[in-house]
Amino acid sequence: MEEDKKYELEEFIEAMKPRKARHTELITVFVPAGFDINLITKQLESEKSTCANIKSTTTRKNVKEALESLIRVAKQMKQTPPNGVAMFAGNVFKDGQEEFIQEIYEPPEPLNIRLYRCDQNFVIDPLEEM
């Protein structure tokens, strides 16, 4: 891996690590290299209908908003980038404030994992392993 790409990856990981939510409302999606992006869009749309079952109104609204933002991104992509893509969205809680963030990251090496997770933290382990 090129030195500047490695540094960029480390910076990204360090920026993502401390980001947490009050509830399980942060969405992480890993799309492996060569995977059909349309299948990811369909999966996210199906998760959006599932999130209607979330009891907490605020959490439900935040999860839906995060899913919708990732669906928009996935629909804009004609195909998965050469090394795959890592997508993150949700309301992070920092210094008593909530802030909606969305990060789309194309890794410097091929991603070989497909993942969808809705949690209090973003999943960054596959990136750390690079």
Side-chain angles (χ1 to χ4, degrees), residues 56-71:
S56 159
T57 313
T58 310
T59 303
R60 183 173 55 242
K61 181 185 87 55
N62 291 346
V63 169
K64 186 177 178 207
E65 188 180 315
L67 284 166
E68 285 171 348
S69 82
L70 293 179
I71 289 168

Side-chain angles (χ1 to χ4, degrees), residues 22 92-99:
R22 276 201 274 211
V92 293
F93 193 71
K94 186 180 170 199
D95 304 328
Q97 298 288 311
E98 271 194 340
E99 175 194 7

Side-chain angles (χ1 to χ4, degrees), residues 9-117:
L9 176 62
E10 287 171 5
E11 289 281 296
F12 184 77
I13 290 168
E14 287 312 305
M16 294 304 282
K17 261 187 190 173
R19 294 179 169 171
K20 294 187 179 347
R22 276 201 274 211
H23 305 285
T24 50
E25 53 193 52
L26 298 182
I27 296 178
T28 305
V29 178
F30 285 125
V31 185
F35 196 82
D36 185 352
I37 196 75
N38 297 319
L39 293 176
I40 297 299
T41 306
K42 284 186 179 112
Q43 180 187 7
L44 294 174
E45 285 172 342
S46 126
E47 292 293 343
K48 196 171 100 175
S49 59
T50 306
C51 86
N53 300 328
I54 299 171
K55 286 182 181 67
S56 159
T57 313
T58 310
T59 303
R60 183 173 55 242
K61 181 185 87 55
N62 291 346
V63 169
K64 186 177 178 207
E65 188 180 315
L67 284 166
E68 285 171 348
S69 82
L70 293 179
I71 289 168
R72 280 192 298 275
V73 169
K75 281 184 173 176
Q76 287 171 352
M77 290 182 188
K78 297 284 180 256
Q79 62 188 43
T80 305
N83 286 339
V85 65
M87 303 192 289
F88 307 90
N91 278 305
V92 293
F93 193 71
K94 186 180 170 199
D95 304 328
Q97 298 288 311
E98 271 194 340
E99 175 194 7
F100 183 81
I101 63 157
Q102 176 187 351
E103 296 283 349
I104 308 303
Y105 184 75
E106 292 181 30
E109 293 175 6
L111 261 180
N112 54 11
I113 181 174
R114 179 174 168 209
L115 175 98
Y116 166 84
R117 177 91 32 87

